[in-house]
Amino acid sequence: NIGTIVGYGQNKAVPFVRQFGVGGPNSLRAWNIKEPGPGAYRNPLDKLEKSPIVYTNQGDLKLELNAEYRFKIFYFVDGAIFLDAGNVWLIHNDNDRPGAVFTKNFMSQMAVGTGYGIRFNFNFFLIRFDFGYKLRSPYKDEFTGRNWYTFKEFRQQGLGNVQVAVNYPF
């Protein structure tokens, strides 16, 4: 999934409601809605870890890759394993958000997650329960300087990021 949005005419800014976000049940399932990005920028308020956090990280450019393998378990219950990667970026430089603009180093700013899911396939609609695990953060850890999660950090995610969705079966 690739997309870009630019201001039209004399408008340089894109309306906030039209910008792209990634994360959530139909995107990067290991992340909450609009949690990662833009780019390598991390909002200092997001690190306070107050519950619940409403993320508003959006950008003008979106790149997202998803791979999913689905299989039958029994009757109307299906299983899935998945791998998601992506992020959003800004097109124009923003001094208030360093690292948010799209550059040639965009691959080093990709968020990566994996997981598994259970699907209840009722032929006319599908109820999905996905359990996503963060593998790689788009921003470096402030203590270790790493983007990739260690095996210990992976295990500490417990059930992972639980995403629930109702979809059409196709």
mmCIF file of all heavy atoms in Angstrom, residues 28-49:
data_model
loop_
_atom_site.group_PDB
_atom_site.id
_atom_site.type_symbol
_atom_site.label_atom_id
_atom_site.label_comp_id
_atom_site.label_asym_id
_atom_site.label_seq_id
_atom_site.Cartn_x
_atom_site.Cartn_y
_atom_site.Cartn_z
ATOM 1 N N LEU A 28 -0.628 -2.082 10.375
ATOM 2 C CA LEU A 28 0.441 -2.742 11.130
ATOM 3 C C LEU A 28 -0.157 -3.216 12.454
ATOM 4 O O LEU A 28 -0.320 -2.448 13.386
ATOM 5 C CB LEU A 28 1.598 -1.772 11.392
ATOM 6 C CG LEU A 28 2.217 -1.087 10.187
ATOM 7 C CD1 LEU A 28 3.324 -0.146 10.616
ATOM 8 C CD2 LEU A 28 2.742 -2.102 9.203
ATOM 9 N N ARG A 29 -0.491 -4.499 12.527
ATOM 10 C CA ARG A 29 -1.274 -5.018 13.645
ATOM 11 C C ARG A 29 -0.521 -5.094 14.963
ATOM 12 O O ARG A 29 -1.130 -5.233 16.014
ATOM 13 C CB ARG A 29 -1.855 -6.383 13.263
ATOM 14 C CG ARG A 29 -2.922 -6.229 12.185
ATOM 15 C CD ARG A 29 -3.260 -7.514 11.545
ATOM 16 N NE ARG A 29 -2.316 -7.791 10.468
ATOM 17 C CZ ARG A 29 -2.463 -8.739 9.574
ATOM 18 N NH1 ARG A 29 -3.508 -9.527 9.634
ATOM 19 N NH2 ARG A 29 -1.575 -8.913 8.627
ATOM 20 N N ALA A 30 0.792 -5.005 14.949
ATOM 21 C CA ALA A 30 1.561 -5.003 16.187
ATOM 22 C C ALA A 30 1.540 -3.623 16.854
ATOM 23 O O ALA A 30 1.962 -3.471 17.993
ATOM 24 C CB ALA A 30 3.003 -5.415 15.917
ATOM 25 N N TRP A 31 1.044 -2.635 16.139
ATOM 26 C CA TRP A 31 1.049 -1.249 16.611
ATOM 27 C C TRP A 31 -0.393 -0.761 16.761
ATOM 28 O O TRP A 31 -1.285 -1.199 16.056
ATOM 29 C CB TRP A 31 1.782 -0.362 15.603
ATOM 30 C CG TRP A 31 3.184 -0.820 15.355
ATOM 31 C CD1 TRP A 31 3.578 -1.794 14.483
ATOM 32 C CD2 TRP A 31 4.351 -0.371 16.005
ATOM 33 N NE1 TRP A 31 4.929 -1.947 14.544
ATOM 34 C CE2 TRP A 31 5.436 -1.081 15.475
ATOM 35 C CE3 TRP A 31 4.602 0.587 16.972
ATOM 36 C CZ2 TRP A 31 6.735 -0.892 15.884
ATOM 37 C CZ3 TRP A 31 5.903 0.790 17.384
ATOM 38 C CH2 TRP A 31 6.951 0.052 16.838
ATOM 39 N N ASN A 32 -0.599 0.187 17.651
ATOM 40 C CA ASN A 32 -1.913 0.814 17.789
ATOM 41 C C ASN A 32 -2.154 1.764 16.618
ATOM 42 O O ASN A 32 -1.219 2.153 15.911
ATOM 43 C CB ASN A 32 -2.008 1.577 19.109
ATOM 44 C CG ASN A 32 -2.029 0.646 20.292
ATOM 45 O OD1 ASN A 32 -2.673 -0.399 20.254
ATOM 46 N ND2 ASN A 32 -1.318 1.007 21.343
ATOM 47 N N ILE A 33 -3.390 2.195 16.446
ATOM 48 C CA ILE A 33 -3.752 3.085 15.350
ATOM 49 C C ILE A 33 -2.953 4.374 15.439
ATOM 50 O O ILE A 33 -2.913 5.023 16.483
ATOM 51 C CB ILE A 33 -5.265 3.377 15.379
ATOM 52 C CG1 ILE A 33 -6.058 2.097 15.129
ATOM 53 C CG2 ILE A 33 -5.639 4.443 14.365
ATOM 54 C CD1 ILE A 33 -7.547 2.241 15.314
ATOM 55 N N LYS A 34 -2.287 4.717 14.333
ATOM 56 C CA LYS A 34 -1.474 5.930 14.186
ATOM 57 C C LYS A 34 -0.339 6.024 15.199
ATOM 58 O O LYS A 34 0.116 7.101 15.521
ATOM 59 C CB LYS A 34 -2.352 7.182 14.250
ATOM 60 C CG LYS A 34 -3.369 7.244 13.138
ATOM 61 C CD LYS A 34 -4.198 8.493 13.220
ATOM 62 C CE LYS A 34 -5.278 8.474 12.149
ATOM 63 N NZ LYS A 34 -6.151 9.631 12.241
ATOM 64 N N GLU A 35 0.150 4.894 15.710
ATOM 65 C CA GLU A 35 1.244 4.912 16.686
ATOM 66 C C GLU A 35 2.601 5.163 16.047
ATOM 67 O O GLU A 35 3.334 6.033 16.505
ATOM 68 C CB GLU A 35 1.266 3.606 17.487
ATOM 69 C CG GLU A 35 2.347 3.578 18.542
ATOM 70 C CD GLU A 35 2.353 2.293 19.350
ATOM 71 O OE1 GLU A 35 1.501 1.416 19.131
ATOM 72 O OE2 GLU A 35 3.245 2.164 20.205
ATOM 73 N N PRO A 36 3.012 4.423 15.018
ATOM 74 C CA PRO A 36 4.361 4.665 14.483
ATOM 75 C C PRO A 36 4.427 5.909 13.605
ATOM 76 O O PRO A 36 3.443 6.321 12.998
ATOM 77 C CB PRO A 36 4.650 3.412 13.657
ATOM 78 C CG PRO A 36 3.350 2.802 13.355
ATOM 79 C CD PRO A 36 2.381 3.267 14.400
ATOM 80 N N GLY A 37 5.623 6.486 13.554
ATOM 81 C CA GLY A 37 5.893 7.590 12.640
ATOM 82 C C GLY A 37 5.613 8.943 13.243
ATOM 83 O O GLY A 37 5.321 9.071 14.416
ATOM 84 N N PRO A 38 5.691 9.967 12.413
ATOM 85 C CA PRO A 38 6.184 9.909 11.038
ATOM 86 C C PRO A 38 7.701 9.738 11.008
ATOM 87 O O PRO A 38 8.417 10.360 11.782
ATOM 88 C CB PRO A 38 5.756 11.247 10.434
ATOM 89 C CG PRO A 38 5.633 12.172 11.595
ATOM 90 C CD PRO A 38 5.234 11.317 12.774
ATOM 91 N N GLY A 39 8.166 8.882 10.118
ATOM 92 C CA GLY A 39 9.593 8.607 9.977
ATOM 93 C C GLY A 39 10.179 8.098 11.271
ATOM 94 O O GLY A 39 9.617 7.245 11.949
ATOM 95 N N ALA A 40 11.338 8.630 11.651
ATOM 96 C CA ALA A 40 12.023 8.234 12.877
ATOM 97 C C ALA A 40 11.659 9.144 14.046
ATOM 98 O O ALA A 40 12.233 9.024 15.122
ATOM 99 C CB ALA A 40 13.531 8.236 12.657
ATOM 100 N N TYR A 41 10.714 10.051 13.849
ATOM 101 C CA TYR A 41 10.319 10.974 14.919
ATOM 102 C C TYR A 41 9.426 10.256 15.914
ATOM 103 O O TYR A 41 8.516 9.519 15.547
ATOM 104 C CB TYR A 41 9.574 12.181 14.346
ATOM 105 C CG TYR A 41 8.987 13.071 15.404
ATOM 106 C CD1 TYR A 41 9.807 13.910 16.162
ATOM 107 C CD2 TYR A 41 7.627 13.064 15.675
ATOM 108 C CE1 TYR A 41 9.270 14.718 17.149
ATOM 109 C CE2 TYR A 41 7.080 13.872 16.661
ATOM 110 C CZ TYR A 41 7.911 14.696 17.396
ATOM 111 O OH TYR A 41 7.384 15.487 18.371
ATOM 112 N N ARG A 42 9.694 10.490 17.181
ATOM 113 C CA ARG A 42 8.836 9.954 18.239
ATOM 114 C C ARG A 42 8.364 11.111 19.100
ATOM 115 O O ARG A 42 9.172 11.853 19.659
ATOM 116 C CB ARG A 42 9.583 8.945 19.095
ATOM 117 C CG ARG A 42 8.686 8.303 20.120
ATOM 118 C CD ARG A 42 9.345 7.150 20.815
ATOM 119 N NE ARG A 42 8.369 6.463 21.641
ATOM 120 C CZ ARG A 42 8.670 5.498 22.473
ATOM 121 N NH1 ARG A 42 9.915 5.092 22.578
ATOM 122 N NH2 ARG A 42 7.752 4.923 23.197
ATOM 123 N N ASN A 43 7.064 11.256 19.184
ATOM 124 C CA ASN A 43 6.479 12.319 19.981
ATOM 125 C C ASN A 43 6.859 12.113 21.447
ATOM 126 O O ASN A 43 6.602 11.048 22.005
ATOM 127 C CB ASN A 43 4.957 12.297 19.817
ATOM 128 C CG ASN A 43 4.279 13.478 20.456
ATOM 129 O OD1 ASN A 43 4.826 14.134 21.351
ATOM 130 N ND2 ASN A 43 3.077 13.767 20.004
ATOM 131 N N PRO A 44 7.474 13.115 22.095
ATOM 132 C CA PRO A 44 7.873 12.953 23.507
ATOM 133 C C PRO A 44 6.701 12.625 24.431
ATOM 134 O O PRO A 44 6.872 11.950 25.436
ATOM 135 C CB PRO A 44 8.473 14.315 23.870
ATOM 136 C CG PRO A 44 8.806 14.965 22.582
ATOM 137 C CD PRO A 44 7.866 14.406 21.566
ATOM 138 N N LEU A 45 5.505 13.060 24.078
ATOM 139 C CA LEU A 45 4.330 12.763 24.903
ATOM 140 C C LEU A 45 3.944 11.294 24.842
ATOM 141 O O LEU A 45 3.351 10.768 25.781
ATOM 142 C CB LEU A 45 3.154 13.630 24.468
ATOM 143 C CG LEU A 45 3.362 15.142 24.603
ATOM 144 C CD1 LEU A 45 2.160 15.893 24.047
ATOM 145 C CD2 LEU A 45 3.631 15.523 26.044
ATOM 146 N N ASP A 46 4.283 10.604 23.728
ATOM 147 C CA ASP A 46 3.969 9.182 23.596
ATOM 148 C C ASP A 46 4.770 8.330 24.571
ATOM 149 O O ASP A 46 4.361 7.232 24.923
ATOM 150 C CB ASP A 46 4.234 8.691 22.167
ATOM 151 C CG ASP A 46 3.264 9.289 21.164
ATOM 152 O OD1 ASP A 46 2.274 9.916 21.590
ATOM 153 O OD2 ASP A 46 3.506 9.131 19.955
ATOM 154 N N LYS A 47 5.925 8.827 25.002
ATOM 155 C CA LYS A 47 6.791 8.046 25.875
ATOM 156 C C LYS A 47 6.359 8.088 27.338
ATOM 157 O O LYS A 47 6.908 7.383 28.158
ATOM 158 C CB LYS A 47 8.238 8.551 25.762
ATOM 159 C CG LYS A 47 8.858 8.297 24.408
ATOM 160 C CD LYS A 47 10.316 8.646 24.393
ATOM 161 C CE LYS A 47 10.511 10.116 24.153
ATOM 162 N NZ LYS A 47 11.905 10.492 23.991
ATOM 163 N N LEU A 48 5.383 8.917 27.662
ATOM 164 C CA LEU A 48 4.952 9.034 29.051
ATOM 165 C C LEU A 48 4.177 7.808 29.527
ATOM 166 O O LEU A 48 4.021 7.588 30.712
ATOM 167 C CB LEU A 48 4.115 10.300 29.241
ATOM 168 C CG LEU A 48 4.848 11.607 28.969
ATOM 169 C CD1 LEU A 48 3.882 12.785 29.124
ATOM 170 C CD2 LEU A 48 6.046 11.768 29.879
ATOM 171 N N GLU A 49 3.682 7.001 28.571
ATOM 172 C CA GLU A 49 2.996 5.745 28.834
ATOM 173 C C GLU A 49 1.820 5.890 29.791
ATOM 174 O O GLU A 49 1.629 5.094 30.689
ATOM 175 C CB GLU A 49 3.970 4.684 29.339
ATOM 176 C CG GLU A 49 5.028 4.329 28.318
ATOM 177 C CD GLU A 49 5.929 3.216 28.788
ATOM 178 O OE1 GLU A 49 5.547 2.467 29.702
ATOM 179 O OE2 GLU A 49 7.022 3.099 28.230
#
